[in-house]
Amino acid sequence: MDDPGSSGWLTGLAARAAGSMSTPLREYVEHGAGAGVTAGEAAAAWGELRLRPHVLRDVTDVDPSVELLGRSARVPWGVAPTSLQRAVHPDGEVATARASAAAGAVMVVSSNAGSTFDDIAATGVAWWLQVYLPSDRTLAGPLLDRAVAAGAAAVVLTVDTPVVAAWHPSEALIWDVADPGWTRVNFDPGYEDQPGSEKALDLGPHDIDWLRERTGLPVVVKGVLRGDDARRCVQAGAAGVWVSTHGGRQLDRSLSTAVALPEVRRAVGDEAEVYVDGGVRCGLDILTALAAGADAVFVGRPVLHALVDGEAGVARLHAALLVETVEAMRLAGCRTPADTRDLLAKAPDERSHPF
């Protein structure tokens, strides 16, 4: 068996998980929207970026910890929000939370979670709530109140999903065969039957301020791919901007997050934190994302792949990412994530002269 810190273990993670999933579940986890162009390009895009490592640096002691929204996290990656975790493993989000708490990683909990906020919080994990706002904003109140009461430290507003993009499974949609108890357990009964419960088509900067006032929590805006949109988020009071293509599951042919990240970082500067997800599969990807401007990196599909083996699988994923990230930092001459900021080599069209 491959060592959990080896690239072989991480490389084979998706293939091993696929054998333990039904076809509808596997297709749900892996699919991209449309022709899958954006989803298919995500991982390779990180490999297109190039680094300029430092040498003659003392890397005896490497500290990968970061501060996110005023709180310390022991590692510079976290768990992205994903649905149907209990379809992957009966313990679902609770297993993910236990492993993430032990690793010192932030977990972002989907509003569609199949585990209660209280059960997730009881693991001791540092967690944020991901939300979609409904057309009638008042209907979001009970969900937000439950999250605040259970100790959520931030609200992550997903803004790239006014509608759910089409995709074409070969068999039944997972939602048609999933146990109802695997999802949306933190909503009031009958929520979906209420007028105005559909996803809002009129999201705007004012919703950032509304969420902040409603919850008293910092708001992170997820699904941003442009610098001008990132600026609007910050001007509206966002504490963080999250570069994301929703796993390639929304507008197909969107540019990859690896390409979008530097522009967003430049637009935001130091006025807010910047996060990224999409195609992150190893510690070298994490180092590259930090170098490209991310304050933290979030991992989605690999967590679901690891969750096939429950808490132990997710713990092994975190352990492998730690080994690889620390190794990459040492090879790049970086003792802390802050040291990575000048590693990224500029694209040819950005160079005024060769390095």
Side-chain angles (χ1 to χ4, degrees), residues 147-284:
V148 171
V155 177
V156 177
L157 173 63
T158 296
V159 295
D160 60 3
T161 315
V163 295
V164 177
W167 64 289
H168 309 288
S170 64
E171 295 187 5
L173 278 168
I174 185 62
W175 303 109
D176 295 334
V177 298
D179 186 318
W182 290 344
T183 185
R184 311 200 86 178
V185 300
N186 293 289
F187 286 86
D188 287 339
Y191 171 87
E192 295 180 353
D193 298 326
Q194 298 184 66
S197 63
E198 68 279 358
K199 289 183 174 67
L201 295 175
D202 59 346
L203 285 178
H206 58 279
D207 287 306
I208 298 170
D209 187 60
W210 180 81
L211 274 173
R212 188 179 57 182
E213 292 295 323
R214 183 66 175 73
T215 65
L217 298 175
V219 176
V220 175
V221 182
K222 179 177 182 288
V224 179
L225 294 172
R226 298 171 54 107
D228 52 359
D229 284 343
R231 286 295 312 157
R232 291 176 70 216
C233 293
V234 174
Q235 290 166 356
V241 177
W242 187 327
V243 179
S244 177
T245 65
H246 213 114
R249 297 154 89 98
Q250 284 304 106
L251 180 65
D252 199 19
R253 303 185 193 174
S254 294
L255 77 169
S256 68
T257 56
V259 173
L261 174 59
E263 178 190 333
V264 171
R265 177 82 267 177
R266 288 193 296 270
V268 169
D270 295 327
E271 294 181 54
E273 294 179 4
V274 175
Y275 316 129
V276 70
D277 65 22
V280 175
R281 299 292 182 265
C282 64
L284 186 54

Side-chain angles (χ1 to χ4, degrees), residues 49-169:
L49 301 183
R50 293 295 178 264
L51 304 171
R52 301 164 60 232
H54 289 285
V55 294
L56 300 178
R57 298 285 185 92
D58 183 354
V59 289
T60 305
D61 298 313
V62 169
D63 178 6
S65 67
V66 290
E67 187 171 285
L68 303 179
L69 302 180
R71 302 189 184 194
S72 179
R74 294 205 305 274
V75 293
W77 67 85
V79 173
T82 55
S83 300
L84 291 173
Q85 292 193 30
R86 289 191 59 207
V88 177
H89 188 278
D91 292 339
E93 291 87 359
V94 172
T96 301
R98 287 183 183 131
S100 300
V106 170
M107 177 178 175
V108 184
V109 176
S110 169
S111 56
N112 293 325
S115 303
T116 68
F117 296 151
D118 286 339
D119 285 346
I120 293 167
T123 67
V125 73
W127 69 283
W128 304 347
L129 170 68
Q130 174 274 334
V131 296
Y132 304 99
L133 285 183
S135 293
D136 180 352
R137 306 300 195 268
T138 63
L139 295 180
L143 179 78
L144 296 170
D145 292 343
R146 290 187 183 100
V148 171
V155 177
V156 177
L157 173 63
T158 296
V159 295
D160 60 3
T161 315
V163 295
V164 177
W167 64 289
H168 309 288

